[in-house]
Amino acid sequence: MINLLPPIEKIKRRQEKQLKLIWILGILIIASVLCFVFILLSIKFYIANQIKIQDVLVNEAKEKNIKVNILQGKIESVNSTLLGLNNFYQNQFPMTDFLERISQLLLENMYLERFSYQADNSQINFTCYAPTIDSIYQFRERMRSQEDFKDVNFVLPDWLEPNNITFRVSFKLAK
């Protein structure tokens, strides 16, 4: 093929070719850059959405944690109350059982008039009525035979009075 075009036309055609090539390359580069920007924007929106989702999950976890902490506080309060009640009941003197035990030790026609218990040193004092002095002696022996009664002391107002006697007994409970 013989090119019969004048040199100016040849130059114009070469320039047009180059211009078309530049336009094509420019469009390709711009399209590539736009695609890259759209990809980056979609990644940005995806990450922003994931951050929002994670924030919601974190807030829910914080609310649950707050509720759990409140519940743990309530549980600790109930446990301390129960522990206090348990200690209270454990440290209580079993008064009814003890009085029943004393009443079993008393002889016929003897009865308690006064009773006191001091928890700090486990001291027990009571006043009792007995019809005869012999019943007091028998009661004293029964009291001294008890293993957990220590320092048993009997106080009689008058040792010479043989009948209708009011006397005091004091002793300590062994722990």
Side-chain angles (χ1 to χ4, degrees), residues 21-37:
L21 187 62
I22 289 173
W23 271 101
I24 291 172
L25 288 176
I27 290 173
L28 283 175
I29 290 174
I30 289 173
S32 299
V33 167
L34 281 176
C35 286
F36 184 68
V37 166

Side-chain angles (χ1 to χ4, degrees), residues 146-164:
Q146 301 296 310
E147 294 178 8
D148 57 340
F149 296 172
K150 304 295 179 201
D151 301 330
V152 178
N153 293 321
F154 279 77
V155 178
L156 296 173
D158 187 6
W159 282 95
L160 299 176
E161 190 175 318
N163 295 328
N164 299 329

Side-chain angles (χ1 to χ4, degrees), residues 90-106:
Q90 296 256 334
N91 293 332
Q92 285 296 308
F93 181 68
M95 188 64 69
T96 55
D97 295 337
F98 183 76
L99 287 175
E100 184 178 324
R101 184 175 169 194
I102 292 294
S103 69
Q104 289 174 356
L105 292 176
L106 290 173

Side-chain angles (χ1 to χ4, degrees), residues 50-101:
Q50 290 299 317
I51 289 173
K52 286 179 184 177
I53 290 171
Q54 294 303 319
D55 283 342
V56 168
L57 292 176
V58 166
N59 287 337
E60 286 178 6
K62 283 181 182 178
E63 288 177 13
K64 285 181 183 178
N65 192 20
I66 289 171
K67 289 178 183 177
V68 166
N69 287 342
I70 290 170
L71 188 60
Q72 282 179 338
K74 288 180 181 179
I75 288 171
E76 288 174 4
S77 173
V78 168
N79 281 343
S80 66
T81 302
L82 288 176
L83 181 65
L85 284 173
N86 189 29
N87 288 340
F88 174 76
Y89 284 116
Q90 296 256 334
N91 293 332
Q92 285 296 308
F93 181 68
M95 188 64 69
T96 55
D97 295 337
F98 183 76
L99 287 175
E100 184 178 324
R101 184 175 169 194

